[in-house]
Amino acid sequence: MSNYSGSKSSMQTHSHALRAQGKFRRQSVKSAAGLESRERLRRHYRPQRVRILFVGEAPPASGRFFYHADSGLYRAIRDTFVAAIPSLQSSKDEFLESFRAMGCYLVDLCGKPVDRMDSRSRRCICKAGETRLARRLRQLRPKIVITVVLSIGSNVRRAEACAMWSGQHMELPYPGRWYRFRMAFRRKLTPLLRTALTGNHQHSD
């Protein structure tokens, strides 16, 4: 009887393990498909000539995405562009088209989400992303590179050196939940946009 119970328990454990593995594989496949779908959309909005390259850390694990127009970063960049170039207000709903038409593009240092990783793993993935970013810099040759997360500033600078890229480099705080970061993001970015995209040297408000 005890042998039977032990065998039954072992079979149940094995069955649970198989189900867990199957669920993990399905989630991994779904996640990979989602990432590839986002990258296709990103490529759709790539300008023929990139003037300003924005660099984020990674696509968020939540599934939100700049090029889906549903992320906090999207709203912060859109609103800052509108503040810098008021004529964009009338086409605010088509901002991604305007963003591309002005030669602006956003890429990520890392190819997969890192915001739910422990700090050590996150740093390793960001370090590994430098080679990927350097390859993109050589390919795109932007005039200006803007980092939108301060914590990856050193990663982006190393990628620029590896790509032998030279140009204007700016680092901004991530315009997340904190009002002061959103305001610092806007204050610093607005005059650059006016100068680079309109030739207007006005001071920001």
Side-chain angles (χ1 to χ4, degrees), residues 42 52-57 65-67 69-86 88-89 92 95-100 102-108 146-149 170 172-176 181-183 185-187 189-190 192-193 197:
R42 190 199 305 274
I52 304 178
L53 183 68
F54 291 82
V55 183
E57 183 180 28
F65 183 47
F66 177 83
Y67 284 107
D70 64 358
S71 69
L73 181 61
Y74 167 81
R75 290 187 292 273
I77 289 179
R78 179 200 62 193
D79 293 349
T80 302
F81 268 71
V82 170
I85 309 170
L88 292 175
Q89 179 68 45
K92 195 173 178 180
F95 173 69
L96 289 174
E97 295 291 348
S98 300
F99 189 72
R100 175 175 61 180
M102 290 183 287
C104 300
Y105 195 44
L106 183 137
V107 300
D108 289 308
I146 301 176
T147 302
V148 297
V149 185
M170 174 179 281
L172 300 173
Y174 185 76
F181 290 152
R182 294 198 300 272
M183 290 301 98
F185 181 92
R186 180 177 290 196
R187 270 196 311 272
L189 181 56
T190 297
L192 181 146
L193 295 178
L197 299 179

Side-chain angles (χ1 to χ4, degrees), residues 115-140:
D115 47 319
R116 294 178 184 171
M117 293 182 177
D118 61 82
S119 58
R120 183 177 180 182
S121 298
R122 191 168 183 163
R123 285 194 301 271
C124 287
I125 296 295
C126 286
K127 183 71 172 67
E130 293 172 16
T131 301
R132 179 173 177 266
L133 180 58
R135 187 165 59 246
R136 279 188 158 168
L137 286 168
R138 284 192 292 268
Q139 178 186 31
L140 301 173

Side-chain angles (χ1 to χ4, degrees), residues 6 17 26 29 67 76 83 97 103 109 113 133 140 143 146-147 149 151-152 155 163 177 179 183 186 198 203 205:
R26 287 193 298 274
V29 169
Y67 284 107
E97 295 291 348
L109 174 67
L133 180 58
L140 301 173
K143 293 183 177 180
I146 301 176
T147 302
V149 185
S151 63
I152 64 168
N155 301 103
R177 67 182 70 178
Y179 177 79
M183 290 301 98
R186 180 177 290 196
T198 70
H203 292 293
D205 297 331

